[in-house]
């Protein structure tokens, strides 16, 4: 089976699933899930994209990620999407003198809907949802130094502690056609953890690949270069 035939088969299955879903919801919701009626075919191709925000963080700070995505275009209206990346952190806390290090892949799967009335124009405004997951290992260490009162050494170390993290994201974004198949776009994301596990009693990890730093705002964003294929 060729790649194009495989993609076409997958798109057909996805389209059938959407049709079945729309048949099972109330009439008021069916209008939202239905495709705009016109002569444009359902399958409009797919696109690959690369996030510049995470790459910039990776280059100029002690944490960040390289991230790409594959997005399928159904009638310029629905966009099933898979996002994958590699998140890294190598951080020294200047207050606690704790060193934190991790590097692991992460994955998101979801769908976006074009909210503009003109679905086939050069601009898109979309809203969507993602489910995300990462499984990663962390190293946490603090060098030995004497306790100021009791004078004993207070260093410790954790090596390759296994962690898992699951979260969801609500997404709103835009993209615009620049020239030919090239688009530029940005998205704003609200992230919420749904479950996690950590191998050890060391508290929440400082950085989670794909999610970001623990304790920061749940908001995040991307700036993407998108190429239609």
């Amino acid at each position: 089976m060729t790649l194009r035939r495989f993609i076409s088969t997958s798109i057909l299955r996805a389209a059938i699933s959407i049709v079945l879903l729309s048949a099972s919801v109330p009439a008021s919701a069916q209008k939202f899930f239905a495709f705009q009626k016109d002569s444009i075919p359902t399958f409009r191709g797919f696109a690959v994209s690369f996030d510049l925000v995470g790459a910039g963080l990776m280059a100029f700070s002690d944490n960040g990620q390289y991230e790409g995505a594959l997005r399928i275009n159904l009638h310029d209206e629905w966009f099933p999407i898979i996002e994958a990346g590699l998140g890294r952190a190598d951080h020294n806390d200047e207050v606690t003198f704790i060193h934190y290090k991790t590097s692991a892949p992460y994955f998101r799967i979801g769908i976006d809907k074009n909210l503009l009335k003109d679905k086939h124009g050069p601009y898109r405004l979309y809203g969507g949802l993602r489910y995300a997951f990462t499984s990663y290992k962390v190293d946490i260490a603090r060098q030995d130094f004497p306790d100021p009162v009791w004078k004993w050494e207070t260093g410790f170390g954790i090596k390759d502690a296994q962690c898992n993290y699951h979260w969801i994201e609500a997404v709103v974004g835009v993209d615009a056609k620049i020239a030919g198949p090239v688009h530029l776009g940005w998205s704003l994301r609200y992230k919420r953890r749904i479950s996690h596990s950590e191998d050890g009693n060391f508290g929440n990890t400082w950085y989670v690949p794909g999610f970001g730093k623990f304790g920061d705002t749940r908001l995040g964003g991307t700036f993407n270069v998108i190429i239609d294929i």
Side-chain angles (χ1 to χ4, degrees), residues 29-50:
Q30 287 186 25
K31 185 177 180 180
F32 177 81
F33 287 108
F35 288 116
Q36 188 180 55
K37 293 182 179 180
D38 53 37
S39 60
I40 301 298
T42 298
F43 179 53
R44 297 278 285 161
F46 55 93
V48 294
S49 63
F50 307 92

PDB file of all heavy atoms in Angstrom, residues 29-50:
ATOM      1  N   ALA A  29     -26.824  20.389  17.455  1.00  0.00           N
ATOM      2  CA  ALA A  29     -25.386  20.153  17.392  1.00  0.00           C
ATOM      3  C   ALA A  29     -24.963  19.667  16.013  1.00  0.00           C
ATOM      4  O   ALA A  29     -23.832  19.882  15.599  1.00  0.00           O
ATOM      5  CB  ALA A  29     -24.970  19.140  18.451  1.00  0.00           C
ATOM      6  N   GLN A  30     -25.874  19.010  15.281  1.00  0.00           N
ATOM      7  CA  GLN A  30     -25.527  18.499  13.961  1.00  0.00           C
ATOM      8  C   GLN A  30     -25.130  19.625  13.018  1.00  0.00           C
ATOM      9  O   GLN A  30     -24.252  19.465  12.171  1.00  0.00           O
ATOM     10  CB  GLN A  30     -26.705  17.718  13.372  1.00  0.00           C
ATOM     11  CG  GLN A  30     -26.932  16.362  14.038  1.00  0.00           C
ATOM     12  CD  GLN A  30     -28.003  15.563  13.336  1.00  0.00           C
ATOM     13  OE1 GLN A  30     -28.258  15.762  12.158  1.00  0.00           O
ATOM     14  NE2 GLN A  30     -28.637  14.659  14.068  1.00  0.00           N
ATOM     15  N   LYS A  31     -25.755  20.786  13.172  1.00  0.00           N
ATOM     16  CA  LYS A  31     -25.403  21.914  12.317  1.00  0.00           C
ATOM     17  C   LYS A  31     -23.961  22.334  12.542  1.00  0.00           C
ATOM     18  O   LYS A  31     -23.260  22.724  11.601  1.00  0.00           O
ATOM     19  CB  LYS A  31     -26.357  23.081  12.593  1.00  0.00           C
ATOM     20  CG  LYS A  31     -26.141  24.267  11.668  1.00  0.00           C
ATOM     21  CD  LYS A  31     -27.157  25.364  11.943  1.00  0.00           C
ATOM     22  CE  LYS A  31     -26.926  26.544  11.009  1.00  0.00           C
ATOM     23  NZ  LYS A  31     -27.908  27.637  11.248  1.00  0.00           N
ATOM     24  N   PHE A  32     -23.513  22.260  13.796  1.00  0.00           N
ATOM     25  CA  PHE A  32     -22.127  22.632  14.096  1.00  0.00           C
ATOM     26  C   PHE A  32     -21.155  21.637  13.487  1.00  0.00           C
ATOM     27  O   PHE A  32     -20.120  22.003  12.941  1.00  0.00           O
ATOM     28  CB  PHE A  32     -21.938  22.700  15.617  1.00  0.00           C
ATOM     29  CG  PHE A  32     -20.525  23.002  16.034  1.00  0.00           C
ATOM     30  CD1 PHE A  32     -20.045  24.300  16.027  1.00  0.00           C
ATOM     31  CD2 PHE A  32     -19.662  21.973  16.422  1.00  0.00           C
ATOM     32  CE1 PHE A  32     -18.749  24.578  16.413  1.00  0.00           C
ATOM     33  CE2 PHE A  32     -18.370  22.251  16.809  1.00  0.00           C
ATOM     34  CZ  PHE A  32     -17.911  23.555  16.804  1.00  0.00           C
ATOM     35  N   PHE A  33     -21.482  20.329  13.580  1.00  0.00           N
ATOM     36  CA  PHE A  33     -20.571  19.301  13.102  1.00  0.00           C
ATOM     37  C   PHE A  33     -20.640  19.089  11.594  1.00  0.00           C
ATOM     38  O   PHE A  33     -19.757  18.481  11.007  1.00  0.00           O
ATOM     39  CB  PHE A  33     -20.865  17.966  13.809  1.00  0.00           C
ATOM     40  CG  PHE A  33     -20.418  17.930  15.236  1.00  0.00           C
ATOM     41  CD1 PHE A  33     -21.337  17.964  16.272  1.00  0.00           C
ATOM     42  CD2 PHE A  33     -19.072  17.888  15.563  1.00  0.00           C
ATOM     43  CE1 PHE A  33     -20.923  17.934  17.596  1.00  0.00           C
ATOM     44  CE2 PHE A  33     -18.644  17.870  16.868  1.00  0.00           C
ATOM     45  CZ  PHE A  33     -19.574  17.898  17.889  1.00  0.00           C
ATOM     46  N   ALA A  34     -21.692  19.573  10.922  1.00  0.00           N
ATOM     47  CA  ALA A  34     -21.855  19.325   9.490  1.00  0.00           C
ATOM     48  C   ALA A  34     -20.860  20.151   8.677  1.00  0.00           C
ATOM     49  O   ALA A  34     -20.419  21.224   9.090  1.00  0.00           O
ATOM     50  CB  ALA A  34     -23.271  19.666   9.066  1.00  0.00           C
ATOM     51  N   PHE A  35     -20.523  19.624   7.484  1.00  0.00           N
ATOM     52  CA  PHE A  35     -19.674  20.366   6.560  1.00  0.00           C
ATOM     53  C   PHE A  35     -20.498  21.436   5.840  1.00  0.00           C
ATOM     54  O   PHE A  35     -21.687  21.264   5.586  1.00  0.00           O
ATOM     55  CB  PHE A  35     -19.061  19.430   5.513  1.00  0.00           C
ATOM     56  CG  PHE A  35     -17.998  18.528   6.052  1.00  0.00           C
ATOM     57  CD1 PHE A  35     -18.178  17.151   6.067  1.00  0.00           C
ATOM     58  CD2 PHE A  35     -16.811  19.036   6.539  1.00  0.00           C
ATOM     59  CE1 PHE A  35     -17.193  16.326   6.555  1.00  0.00           C
ATOM     60  CE2 PHE A  35     -15.816  18.209   7.025  1.00  0.00           C
ATOM     61  CZ  PHE A  35     -16.016  16.845   7.028  1.00  0.00           C
ATOM     62  N   GLN A  36     -19.831  22.540   5.507  1.00  0.00           N
ATOM     63  CA  GLN A  36     -20.472  23.562   4.701  1.00  0.00           C
ATOM     64  C   GLN A  36     -20.806  22.964   3.331  1.00  0.00           C
ATOM     65  O   GLN A  36     -19.986  22.272   2.725  1.00  0.00           O
ATOM     66  CB  GLN A  36     -19.516  24.750   4.539  1.00  0.00           C
ATOM     67  CG  GLN A  36     -20.113  25.961   3.881  1.00  0.00           C
ATOM     68  CD  GLN A  36     -19.084  27.086   3.761  1.00  0.00           C
ATOM     69  OE1 GLN A  36     -18.020  26.879   3.197  1.00  0.00           O
ATOM     70  NE2 GLN A  36     -19.409  28.246   4.294  1.00  0.00           N
ATOM     71  N   LYS A  37     -22.019  23.222   2.832  1.00  0.00           N
ATOM     72  CA  LYS A  37     -22.469  22.629   1.579  1.00  0.00           C
ATOM     73  C   LYS A  37     -21.962  23.449   0.399  1.00  0.00           C
ATOM     74  O   LYS A  37     -22.339  24.606   0.222  1.00  0.00           O
ATOM     75  CB  LYS A  37     -23.991  22.547   1.553  1.00  0.00           C
ATOM     76  CG  LYS A  37     -24.569  21.573   2.575  1.00  0.00           C
ATOM     77  CD  LYS A  37     -26.082  21.492   2.469  1.00  0.00           C
ATOM     78  CE  LYS A  37     -26.642  20.502   3.477  1.00  0.00           C
ATOM     79  NZ  LYS A  37     -28.126  20.388   3.399  1.00  0.00           N
ATOM     80  N   ASP A  38     -21.088  22.846  -0.400  1.00  0.00           N
ATOM     81  CA  ASP A  38     -20.602  23.453  -1.637  1.00  0.00           C
ATOM     82  C   ASP A  38     -19.959  22.356  -2.467  1.00  0.00           C
ATOM     83  O   ASP A  38     -20.033  21.171  -2.127  1.00  0.00           O
ATOM     84  CB  ASP A  38     -19.628  24.613  -1.366  1.00  0.00           C
ATOM     85  CG  ASP A  38     -18.486  24.206  -0.444  1.00  0.00           C
ATOM     86  OD1 ASP A  38     -18.002  23.055  -0.561  1.00  0.00           O
ATOM     87  OD2 ASP A  38     -18.077  25.023   0.406  1.00  0.00           O
ATOM     88  N   SER A  39     -19.306  22.744  -3.558  1.00  0.00           N
ATOM     89  CA  SER A  39     -18.734  21.764  -4.485  1.00  0.00           C
ATOM     90  C   SER A  39     -17.301  21.369  -4.137  1.00  0.00           C
ATOM     91  O   SER A  39     -16.680  20.575  -4.836  1.00  0.00           O
ATOM     92  CB  SER A  39     -18.768  22.317  -5.912  1.00  0.00           C
ATOM     93  OG  SER A  39     -18.012  23.519  -5.997  1.00  0.00           O
ATOM     94  N   ILE A  40     -16.743  21.923  -3.058  1.00  0.00           N
ATOM     95  CA  ILE A  40     -15.371  21.631  -2.679  1.00  0.00           C
ATOM     96  C   ILE A  40     -15.292  20.209  -2.110  1.00  0.00           C
ATOM     97  O   ILE A  40     -16.117  19.823  -1.279  1.00  0.00           O
ATOM     98  CB  ILE A  40     -14.870  22.645  -1.629  1.00  0.00           C
ATOM     99  CG1 ILE A  40     -14.951  24.063  -2.189  1.00  0.00           C
ATOM    100  CG2 ILE A  40     -13.453  22.318  -1.192  1.00  0.00           C
ATOM    101  CD1 ILE A  40     -14.086  24.295  -3.401  1.00  0.00           C
ATOM    102  N   PRO A  41     -14.310  19.386  -2.554  1.00  0.00           N
ATOM    103  CA  PRO A  41     -14.217  18.009  -2.048  1.00  0.00           C
ATOM    104  C   PRO A  41     -13.866  17.971  -0.562  1.00  0.00           C
ATOM    105  O   PRO A  41     -13.326  18.929  -0.003  1.00  0.00           O
ATOM    106  CB  PRO A  41     -13.102  17.404  -2.897  1.00  0.00           C
ATOM    107  CG  PRO A  41     -12.294  18.557  -3.373  1.00  0.00           C
ATOM    108  CD  PRO A  41     -13.261  19.688  -3.557  1.00  0.00           C
ATOM    109  N   THR A  42     -14.203  16.840   0.065  1.00  0.00           N
ATOM    110  CA  THR A  42     -13.954  16.680   1.510  1.00  0.00           C
ATOM    111  C   THR A  42     -12.465  16.675   1.822  1.00  0.00           C
ATOM    112  O   THR A  42     -11.993  17.418   2.681  1.00  0.00           O
ATOM    113  CB  THR A  42     -14.599  15.383   2.021  1.00  0.00           C
ATOM    114  OG1 THR A  42     -16.009  15.467   1.820  1.00  0.00           O
ATOM    115  CG2 THR A  42     -14.310  15.182   3.499  1.00  0.00           C
ATOM    116  N   PHE A  43     -11.713  15.837   1.126  1.00  0.00           N
ATOM    117  CA  PHE A  43     -10.277  15.736   1.410  1.00  0.00           C
ATOM    118  C   PHE A  43      -9.530  16.815   0.645  1.00  0.00           C
ATOM    119  O   PHE A  43      -9.520  16.833  -0.580  1.00  0.00           O
ATOM    120  CB  PHE A  43      -9.757  14.354   1.034  1.00  0.00           C
ATOM    121  CG  PHE A  43      -8.269  14.194   1.276  1.00  0.00           C
ATOM    122  CD1 PHE A  43      -7.720  14.485   2.509  1.00  0.00           C
ATOM    123  CD2 PHE A  43      -7.431  13.755   0.256  1.00  0.00           C
ATOM    124  CE1 PHE A  43      -6.354  14.349   2.738  1.00  0.00           C
ATOM    125  CE2 PHE A  43      -6.066  13.604   0.466  1.00  0.00           C
ATOM    126  CZ  PHE A  43      -5.530  13.899   1.711  1.00  0.00           C
ATOM    127  N   ARG A  44      -8.881  17.714   1.395  1.00  0.00           N
ATOM    128  CA  ARG A  44      -8.196  18.852   0.792  1.00  0.00           C
ATOM    129  C   ARG A  44      -6.681  18.772   0.970  1.00  0.00           C
ATOM    130  O   ARG A  44      -5.978  19.766   0.785  1.00  0.00           O
ATOM    131  CB  ARG A  44      -8.718  20.140   1.413  1.00  0.00           C
ATOM    132  CG  ARG A  44     -10.200  20.387   1.143  1.00  0.00           C
ATOM    133  CD  ARG A  44     -10.406  21.004  -0.207  1.00  0.00           C
ATOM    134  NE  ARG A  44     -10.027  22.411  -0.172  1.00  0.00           N
ATOM    135  CZ  ARG A  44      -9.752  23.144  -1.246  1.00  0.00           C
ATOM    136  NH1 ARG A  44      -9.769  22.582  -2.451  1.00  0.00           N
ATOM    137  NH2 ARG A  44      -9.441  24.419  -1.137  1.00  0.00           N
ATOM    138  N   GLY A  45      -6.169  17.605   1.368  1.00  0.00           N
ATOM    139  CA  GLY A  45      -4.737  17.454   1.547  1.00  0.00           C
ATOM    140  C   GLY A  45      -4.343  17.490   3.011  1.00  0.00           C
ATOM    141  O   GLY A  45      -5.172  17.365   3.915  1.00  0.00           O
ATOM    142  N   PHE A  46      -3.063  17.676   3.226  1.00  0.00           N
ATOM    143  CA  PHE A  46      -2.564  17.759   4.589  1.00  0.00           C
ATOM    144  C   PHE A  46      -1.420  18.757   4.633  1.00  0.00           C
ATOM    145  O   PHE A  46      -0.935  19.242   3.614  1.00  0.00           O
ATOM    146  CB  PHE A  46      -2.151  16.387   5.123  1.00  0.00           C
ATOM    147  CG  PHE A  46      -1.153  15.661   4.282  1.00  0.00           C
ATOM    148  CD1 PHE A  46       0.204  15.760   4.531  1.00  0.00           C
ATOM    149  CD2 PHE A  46      -1.568  14.854   3.217  1.00  0.00           C
ATOM    150  CE1 PHE A  46       1.133  15.093   3.751  1.00  0.00           C
ATOM    151  CE2 PHE A  46      -0.648  14.175   2.432  1.00  0.00           C
ATOM    152  CZ  PHE A  46       0.706  14.298   2.702  1.00  0.00           C
ATOM    153  N   ALA A  47      -0.986  19.092   5.851  1.00  0.00           N
ATOM    154  CA  ALA A  47       0.057  20.101   6.029  1.00  0.00           C
ATOM    155  C   ALA A  47       1.001  19.662   7.137  1.00  0.00           C
ATOM    156  O   ALA A  47       0.607  18.953   8.073  1.00  0.00           O
ATOM    157  CB  ALA A  47      -0.563  21.453   6.369  1.00  0.00           C
ATOM    158  N   VAL A  48       2.242  20.092   7.025  1.00  0.00           N
ATOM    159  CA  VAL A  48       3.220  19.901   8.098  1.00  0.00           C
ATOM    160  C   VAL A  48       3.587  21.283   8.642  1.00  0.00           C
ATOM    161  O   VAL A  48       3.563  22.280   7.904  1.00  0.00           O
ATOM    162  CB  VAL A  48       4.479  19.157   7.608  1.00  0.00           C
ATOM    163  CG1 VAL A  48       4.143  17.734   7.221  1.00  0.00           C
ATOM    164  CG2 VAL A  48       5.131  19.896   6.435  1.00  0.00           C
ATOM    165  N   SER A  49       3.880  21.339   9.922  1.00  0.00           N
ATOM    166  CA  SER A  49       4.217  22.625  10.526  1.00  0.00           C
ATOM    167  C   SER A  49       5.307  22.448  11.564  1.00  0.00           C
ATOM    168  O   SER A  49       5.526  21.347  12.088  1.00  0.00           O
ATOM    169  CB  SER A  49       2.979  23.261  11.164  1.00  0.00           C
ATOM    170  OG  SER A  49       2.486  22.460  12.223  1.00  0.00           O
ATOM    171  N   PHE A  50       5.982  23.558  11.865  1.00  0.00           N
ATOM    172  CA  PHE A  50       7.082  23.579  12.830  1.00  0.00           C
ATOM    173  C   PHE A  50       6.929  24.800  13.727  1.00  0.00           C
ATOM    174  O   PHE A  50       6.702  25.911  13.244  1.00  0.00           O
ATOM    175  CB  PHE A  50       8.435  23.607  12.103  1.00  0.00           C
ATOM    176  CG  PHE A  50       8.601  22.507  11.092  1.00  0.00           C
ATOM    177  CD1 PHE A  50       8.252  22.716   9.751  1.00  0.00           C
ATOM    178  CD2 PHE A  50       9.065  21.260  11.470  1.00  0.00           C
ATOM    179  CE1 PHE A  50       8.390  21.697   8.821  1.00  0.00           C
ATOM    180  CE2 PHE A  50       9.198  20.241  10.541  1.00  0.00           C
ATOM    181  CZ  PHE A  50       8.866  20.460   9.212  1.00  0.00           C
TER     182      PHE A  50
END
